[in-house]
Amino acid sequence: MTSLCSTFAFADADLVVKPAAIYGSSGTMEVVINKANTTAFQFDVKLPTGISVSAFGTESGDRKFEKNQVDASTNTWRFLSYDEKNATFDAGTTFNVTLAAAANAEEGEAETEAIILVDPNGNSTEVENGSSAVSLGASIKITSDNEMTTYVGNSGLDFTDREELAYVVTGIVGNNVMMTRVKKVPAGTPIVVKGTKGTHNIPGAKITGLYYKNLLIGNNTDASINVTPEGTDQFLRFTTSGFQTFSETKSVGAHKAYVRAKALPEAKAGADWSPLKIGDGKRTSLCADVDLDFSDQTAIKPYIAMGYNNGNVVITSIKKVPAGTPVYILGPKGEYTIKSSAAQAVYENMMVGNNSDASITINPTDGEYTNLYVATTGFSTFSASRSVGAHKSYLQILTSYLPASSRGISDGSIVCGETEAETLIIPICGSLEGGSDNTTSIRSFDETMSDDVWYNLSGQRIDTPTKKGLYIKNGKKVVVK
């Protein structure tokens, strides 16, 4: 696909159609007439699927504009503009075409053809055909004081090198929502967006070979929906104060998202885990039958696998590891003792654990998934049934996301490295039926909040409160009088 920053293939052509970016459901495509002494023009444009024309130009005086879909099978539109008194316009004059995107809209090329320019004497000039990109983005409005909102849309989005930040929800840790930052967002993926108050136009991108495990569930429609909690799962929706739990039917807005997670497990502390062995590959896996706490470990880190990105597994560091949670561990060769401590958390995870005292046998594939074991170089495929040791874990990747040329599974035909993602937590604001003093703070998930660290309600770290009000200290709400 032509880059968004590219222009018509013939940049100095007499008629140029510039790349168009559609944010939300509408956008503008600019048509530039570079040939002076022109009084009328006509051209056809083949638009991508789901893109239509809602308006063309603005009539002014004797200048007239006409638009018409001349071929629905190819989504071809014809544009005609003329001046009833044969008045000409200067070279460089720009006319706007307003585009509308349906729910099934696709990114692609606007292919321009049959271009004709006419002078006041009726002489016509033909212009070469060309094409320009039509990209789908999102127009995301942030209204909350914590400068966040949720969003889900029909197009892929690119947050690379932008001030706005995007997150998926990968866990609930105690009374906190755990979020992992993502830069590329596939179409239909619900996210949390952080940015300043106002409307943010996020560029679209055609994203393939990438997916995330996510506790967010999106309402990708143009109308609100009602969500009724069921079973023992935890349900949270996003309000102007942040994520809040709810136990009765609540409304979730158009193109917004809510969280559904399993209930926190019962604490299962026991003996410290020893020895945890790491070999020459500086990586191993674990699925313990007791809660573990890695907070005092400085050399090694446990991870969940929360995404796959074109040959790399996206991993997120955690510290609290509940019993039965499969993790991937990186660190120097050696033997380690891990403290057993209550760790109430639930995570979305691509790792699968063997939480037993005996080895198990797994196959190269499992339904729609390809299985990979933890090798010395990362995650690796295998060709025949393989043993997974007691209290170890392995990885499952959706086979449909692997390159077609690599799906003939053999030993090491696919070796995935790992990419570590940034993680934040947001304290849950409490029940919607609770008081009005609930709020949200934002901090690094790995940051230790000591008794001497204070945050205001915007999540900003401060030396000490200077005014009366509500603050966050040591991860808890404190009223300063």
Side-chain angles (χ1 to χ4, degrees), residues 328-396:
Y328 179 62
I329 298 174
L330 297 177
K333 180 179 179 180
E335 295 187 359
Y336 303 86
T337 297
I338 311 302
K339 180 181 179 181
S340 178
S341 179
Q344 289 190 294
V346 292
Y347 303 106
E348 277 289 271
N349 195 358
M350 294 165 57
M351 302 292 293
V352 179
N354 170 25
N355 188 15
S356 71
D357 294 328
S359 297
I360 62 171
T361 299
I362 60 173
N363 295 316
T365 59
D366 185 5
E368 60 182 339
Y369 293 95
T370 293
N371 296 325
L372 295 88
Y373 71 97
V374 177
T376 56
T377 55
F379 298 97
S380 177
T381 57
F382 51 96
S383 59
S385 297
R386 186 178 182 89
S387 175
V388 174
H391 298 291
K392 295 296 183 180
S393 56
Y394 60 99
L395 180 77
Q396 288 190 328

Side-chain angles (χ1 to χ4, degrees), residues 151-432:
Y151 179 80
V152 58
N154 297 311
S155 62
L157 301 177
D158 189 353
F159 285 82
T160 304
D161 298 326
R162 293 192 63 88
E163 293 182 358
E164 303 91 348
L165 303 178
Y167 299 88
V168 295
V169 174
T170 45
I172 303 292
V173 184
N175 196 41
N176 297 304
V177 175
M178 172 179 163
M179 305 195 306
T180 302
R181 185 182 174 190
V182 295
K183 295 183 179 180
K184 303 284 188 178
V185 180
T189 301
I191 54 175
V192 176
V193 180
K194 177 171 171 55
T196 57
K197 278 189 176 182
T199 300
H200 300 261
N201 288 330
I202 309 299
K206 189 173 183 179
I207 298 171
T208 59
L210 186 157
Y211 71 93
Y212 304 111
K213 300 287 282 186
N214 195 358
L215 289 174
L216 284 170
I217 298 176
N219 169 25
N220 197 10
T221 71
D222 294 327
S224 296
I225 61 172
N226 289 327
V227 176
T228 302
E230 54 184 327
T232 60
D233 289 355
Q234 301 177 90
F235 286 76
L236 301 90
R237 70 168 185 167
F238 199 84
T239 71
T240 55
S241 297
F243 278 111
Q244 295 183 327
T245 59
F246 63 99
S247 57
E248 298 178 352
T249 300
K250 297 292 181 181
S251 175
V252 175
H255 299 286
K256 299 296 184 181
Y258 63 98
V259 169
R260 180 175 182 173
K262 293 180 180 178
L264 294 176
E266 294 291 333
K268 195 173 183 180
D272 293 348
W273 195 267
S274 179
L276 173 66
K277 297 181 180 180
I278 298 181
D280 293 333
K282 298 182 179 181
R283 48 176 55 83
T284 189
S285 66
L286 180 66
C287 184
D289 54 8
V290 295
D291 294 347
L292 298 177
D293 186 352
F294 284 74
S295 298
D296 61 353
Q297 295 292 329
T298 58
I300 63 174
K301 282 185 178 182
Y303 297 87
I304 57 170
M306 49 73 60
Y308 172 76
N309 185 3
N310 294 294
N312 282 292
V313 178
V314 184
I315 59 176
T316 297
S317 174
I318 62 176
K319 293 188 181 296
K320 302 289 187 178
V321 183
T325 300
V327 291
Y328 179 62
I329 298 174
L330 297 177
K333 180 179 179 180
E335 295 187 359
Y336 303 86
T337 297
I338 311 302
K339 180 181 179 181
S340 178
S341 179
Q344 289 190 294
V346 292
Y347 303 106
E348 277 289 271
N349 195 358
M350 294 165 57
M351 302 292 293
V352 179
N354 170 25
N355 188 15
S356 71
D357 294 328
S359 297
I360 62 171
T361 299
I362 60 173
N363 295 316
T365 59
D366 185 5
E368 60 182 339
Y369 293 95
T370 293
N371 296 325
L372 295 88
Y373 71 97
V374 177
T376 56
T377 55
F379 298 97
S380 177
T381 57
F382 51 96
S383 59
S385 297
R386 186 178 182 89
S387 175
V388 174
H391 298 291
K392 295 296 183 180
S393 56
Y394 60 99
L395 180 77
Q396 288 190 328
I397 293 178
L398 285 166
T399 304
S400 59
Y401 282 83
L402 298 175
S405 59
S406 301
R407 293 179 193 169
I409 304 301
S410 61
D411 288 348
S413 64
I414 301 173
V415 178
C416 296
E418 62 275 320
T419 301
E420 186 171 356
E422 301 173 21
T423 306
L424 298 177
I425 64 169
I426 304 177
I428 298 172
C429 299
S431 171
L432 287 175

Side-chain angles (χ1 to χ4, degrees), residues 15-162:
L15 183 145
V16 175
V17 175
K18 291 187 175 182
I22 298 178
Y23 298 110
S25 59
S26 65
T28 300
M29 182 172 69
E30 293 186 344
V31 179
V32 182
I33 309 298
N34 289 321
K35 185 176 178 60
N37 200 36
T38 297
T39 185
F41 60 87
Q42 178 179 293
F43 63 97
D44 292 351
V45 174
K46 292 181 180 179
L47 293 174
T49 300
I51 306 296
S52 60
V53 178
S54 58
F56 169 47
T58 302
E59 294 192 10
S60 176
D62 297 311
R63 170 62 57 183
K64 306 299 179 184
F65 296 90
E66 296 179 9
K67 63 177 178 65
N68 183 40
Q69 187 181 39
V70 294
D71 188 343
S73 65
T74 60
N75 198 21
T76 298
W77 295 72
R78 175 161 295 170
F79 302 93
L80 170 64
S81 180
Y82 59 92
D83 189 277
E84 291 183 327
K85 294 185 177 180
N86 278 348
T88 60
F89 42 80
D90 297 332
T93 300
T94 300
F95 301 93
N96 291 330
V97 177
T98 303
L99 302 178
N104 68 333
E106 298 178 359
E107 292 187 312
E109 299 291 325
E111 300 178 6
T112 313
E113 55 188 28
I115 306 170
I116 300 175
L117 305 181
V118 182
D119 66 20
N121 298 318
N123 300 314
S124 62
T125 300
E126 294 186 2
V127 180
E128 292 186 68
N129 299 339
S131 65
S132 60
V134 177
S135 64
L136 298 173
S139 184
I140 301 175
K141 190 173 184 180
I142 297 175
T143 60
S144 59
D145 290 336
N146 56 33
E147 300 183 329
M148 289 188 294
T149 189
T150 61
Y151 179 80
V152 58
N154 297 311
S155 62
L157 301 177
D158 189 353
F159 285 82
T160 304
D161 298 326
R162 293 192 63 88

